[in-house]
Amino acid sequence: MSADWGDGTRSVRAGLPEPAPGQPFLPGPVFAAPYHLDPWRGPAAAPDGYGRPDNPTRRLLEAAIGELEGGDCRVFASGQAAITGLLLTLLRPGDTVLLPADGYFPVRAFATDTLERIGVRVALAPTAGPYPSFDGVRLVLLETPANPGLDVADVPALAAAAHAAGALLAVDNTTATPLGQRPLDLGADVVVASGTKALTGHSDLLLGYVATRDDALRDAVTGWRTTTGGVPGAFDCWLAHRSLATVDLRLARQSANAEALAGLLAGRPDVTGLRWPGRPADPAYPVASTQMRRMPGVLSFDLGDAGRVARFLDASRLVAAATSFGGLHTTADRRAQWGDDTAPGFVRLSCGIEDAADLLADVAAALDAAERRPLADGPAAVAG
């Protein structure tokens, strides 16, 4: 792939085989558990021997994501499979890992439930800092922008500090996507991400990946995945690869909608705690504006209490109540209901690709309606 191509061209062409007359642009999914083997040479004679380690549809997707991230890629059955696989590949009893205190909650839960039980020391630091000394740390994991609070970490500075202390630096690139930032270019050793969200963006599959330029790390992750079997199926890989072609278009509309919505929300006294790293007033803007190539379509804010969040979602015609983010449809999620350490009224909103004027009008009307309804309206289940 040419380094001079723009994001749209790169997204459309990433991972495609060389054109051949009579062949499709993107070959259909290959469904196979076993493959025919050479009677004499066995699996050494061909690239595919058994479906858990080998699948040509999966390899094309890995080539595509690898081209976008700028490293070798291995895909997993989900983002959680990818990040837990990376942690368990790299960490041993006695090692120390530094995780984001404000990042994706299930990663911290995994660290407490699994890593600490096998003798890994787990330390936490907020994405925006301050950070402790990295001396004695085996792995520093950043999530930037952080999910759900959207703080941003200075990747080049932290990569330099980690490497000076002998630590590896991993970056969770889920929120930004490789079109928003390329952590390997910024000094990270490895990228991990959920492809479920904005990268594939159609809310119809689960996917995760690890990307790196370190051959030994890549091989270790590959071995872990082969042994544990956390591979995505051929059809999901094909769907994901097909969806990559529109990622540039989708992200452009989502980011523009987020900018417009942030402007609306900033002017409403009934909305507090607004965060979007593309807004000059946001605390993350100074770093994000220099480090990121485009801003995400995700923002967060506080509506005061769980009941008002429920009333807002009830009143909206365009904002669906759903978890995850990065899809075609605008969604909102009250994170406290999933176990995140957030205020009861904290909302993570993911902008879809609707027309901005329609989205702004709908959100404004829904917020007005949520304010007017009685506080006791709705099921008691919104508490918590």
Side-chain angles (χ1 to χ4, degrees):
M1 182 182 293
S2 172
D4 297 330
W5 285 345
D7 285 348
T9 306
R10 293 168 58 242
S11 300
V12 166
R13 295 193 167 273
L16 296 184
E18 289 297 317
Q23 297 301 310
F25 288 9
L26 175 63
V30 175
F31 299 111
Y35 302 85
H36 289 292
L37 297 178
D38 184 290
W40 297 95
R41 297 178 58 203
D48 299 309
Y50 183 62
R52 175 160 37 87
D54 309 320
N55 184 275
T57 308
R58 188 189 309 148
R59 286 197 299 274
L60 287 178
L61 174 62
E62 290 174 338
I65 298 175
E67 289 174 9
L68 296 178
E69 284 284 7
D72 287 339
C73 173
R74 295 294 180 266
V75 294
F76 284 76
S78 68
Q80 190 71 354
I83 198 165
T84 57
L86 177 67
L87 294 172
L88 289 170
T89 296
L90 292 177
L91 299 172
R92 298 290 180 269
D95 286 343
T96 297
V97 61
L98 182 66
L99 301 178
D102 51 348
Y104 188 49
F105 172 73
V107 175
R108 297 197 301 280
F110 171 78
T112 301
D113 296 343
T114 300
L115 294 181
E116 288 186 338
R117 283 198 290 110
I118 64 173
V120 174
R121 179 177 174 269
V122 177
L124 301 174
T127 297
Y131 284 83
S133 168
F134 295 156
D135 290 341
V137 175
R138 166 64 172 155
L139 176 68
V140 177
L141 173 66
L142 308 177
E143 183 179 353
T144 179
N147 170 30
L150 300 176
D151 269 326
V152 171
D154 187 333
V155 176
L158 292 169
H163 295 156
L168 295 171
L169 184 85
V171 174
D172 185 329
N173 206 27
T174 301
T175 306
T177 82
L179 271 61
Q181 67 189 6
R182 300 220 312 177
L184 298 178
D185 290 346
L186 299 173
D189 299 288
V190 59
V191 171
V192 62
S194 168
T196 305
K197 299 177 175 67
L199 186 70
T200 59
H202 286 72
S203 307
D204 55 8
L205 60 88
L206 297 177
L207 186 79
Y209 67 88
V210 173
T212 184
R213 296 171 183 169
D214 185 315
D215 292 348
L217 199 160
R218 176 205 61 206
D219 291 346
V221 167
T222 305
W224 173 269
R225 187 188 67 177
T226 298
T227 301
T228 58
V231 295
F235 189 64
D236 280 359
C237 289
W238 181 83
L239 276 178
H241 199 164
R242 184 201 63 170
S243 300
L244 285 182
T246 61
V247 64
D248 175 58
L249 300 174
R250 291 185 280 104
L251 293 179
R253 175 61 71 87
Q254 290 166 342
S255 182
N257 280 350
E259 181 176 17
L261 190 56
L264 169 73
L265 296 175
R268 291 192 63 108
D270 55 346
V271 175
T272 62
L274 173 64
R275 296 298 308 271
W276 185 62
R279 187 168 167 259
D282 192 276
Y285 181 80
V287 175
S289 60
T290 58
Q291 179 174 284
M292 298 183 67
R293 301 171 61 238
R294 68 174 77 195
M295 297 299 166
V298 182
L299 41 77
S300 63
F301 52 90
D302 199 309
L303 293 184
D305 60 69
R308 186 161 186 245
V309 175
R311 296 194 300 273
F312 163 69
L313 293 171
D314 251 352
S316 173
R317 299 171 62 193
L318 294 181
V319 183
T323 193
S324 197
F325 58 89
L328 302 175
H329 311 90
T330 295
T331 61
D333 191 9
R334 193 177 69 81
R335 291 307 302 167
Q337 66 190 337
W338 299 100
D340 276 326
D341 185 18
T342 56
F346 177 92
V347 175
R348 180 186 65 193
L349 188 144
S350 171
C351 292
I353 64 169
E354 299 90 352
D355 289 307
D358 296 334
L359 182 60
L360 294 181
D362 178 78
V363 168
L367 287 171
D368 289 343
E371 193 66 41
R372 287 196 300 267
R373 292 189 188 181
L375 186 64
D377 185 357
V382 298

